[in-house]
Amino acid sequence: MFTTALGPNPEPGLRTPKPFEQGIHNLVDGIKACVEAGLSDSTDPFADALVVWSALHGYAGLRANLLSVPWLDDERTLSHLVADLAHLLRTPPGGEL
Amino acid sequence: MFTTALGPNPEPGLRTPKPFEQGIHNLVDGIKACVEAGLSDSTDPFADALVVWSALHGYAGLRANLLSVPWLDDERTLSHLVADLAHLLRTPPGGEL
């Protein structure tokens, strides 16, 4: 979903690019599934999916290109980012993850 | 802080770019101030600042260039993104914001 062609597109009515559609639908479905399983308290999976997507896009771009920044552990950073923005519960109902 | 030159830099020991240093220090200081004021429960302001920075970078780039995506209200989205990643408390001790 990070390969959508860039560039302003002022023409109204054009279709949303397919890579965005597929990526965002997967994210929305994933967040909805977490809510249904009691693992997220998201109240707006579409809004949360947009910010998860934006944040992953930003992290991927900066992390790959700014090697002199003292980045922390990738896996921990990505878990942190997705958990916060998708409103994952740290202690789900019934116990630990 | 979004104007740092891009491009892999494999040489060890080079200084972190100044725009990054200033931007990230401002973010870390802001999150620490929120913690001290009882407005955030961040336990790692540096880690949180890195993900706030990454997410803002990603949102700015996608929002400006992918005009066919059904973005939501910018102010609400940015508040949502920063509040979640900087661990701002929705109801701070003592009442409403």
Side-chain angles (χ1 to χ4, degrees), chain A residues 7 16 48 54 65 68 80 84 87, chain B residues 7 16 48 65 68 80 84 87:
Chain A
T16 300
D48 292 341
S54 298
N65 287 289
S68 56
H80 169 177
D84 286 351
H87 293 180
Chain B
T16 301
D48 292 341
N65 287 290
S68 57
H80 168 177
D84 286 352
H87 294 181

Side-chain angles (χ1 to χ4, degrees), chain A residues 5 7 16-17 20 44 46-48 51 53-55 57-59 62 65-66 68-72 76-77 80 84 87 90, chain B residues 5 7 16-17 20 44 47-48 51 53-55 57-59 62 65-66 68-72 76-77 80 84 87 90:
Chain A
T16 300
F20 163 75
D44 189 338
F46 181 71
D48 292 341
V51 291
W53 176 49
S54 298
H57 179 78
Y59 183 72
L62 293 178
N65 287 289
L66 298 182
S68 56
V69 168
W71 298 105
L72 304 178
R76 197 172 142 228
T77 301
H80 169 177
D84 286 351
H87 293 180
R90 295 183 195 185
Chain B
T16 301
F20 163 75
D44 190 339
D48 292 341
V51 292
W53 176 48
S54 298
H57 179 79
Y59 183 73
L62 294 178
N65 287 290
L66 297 182
S68 57
V69 168
W71 298 105
L72 304 178
R76 198 172 140 229
T77 300
H80 168 177
D84 286 352
H87 294 181
R90 295 181 195 185

Side-chain angles (χ1 to χ4, degrees), chain B residues 2-25:
Chain B
F2 299 149
T3 58
T4 304
L6 297 181
N9 176 3
E11 296 178 60
L14 286 182
R15 279 181 56 72
T16 301
K18 275 197 178 298
F20 163 75
E21 288 179 6
Q22 190 56 53
I24 204 76
H25 287 172

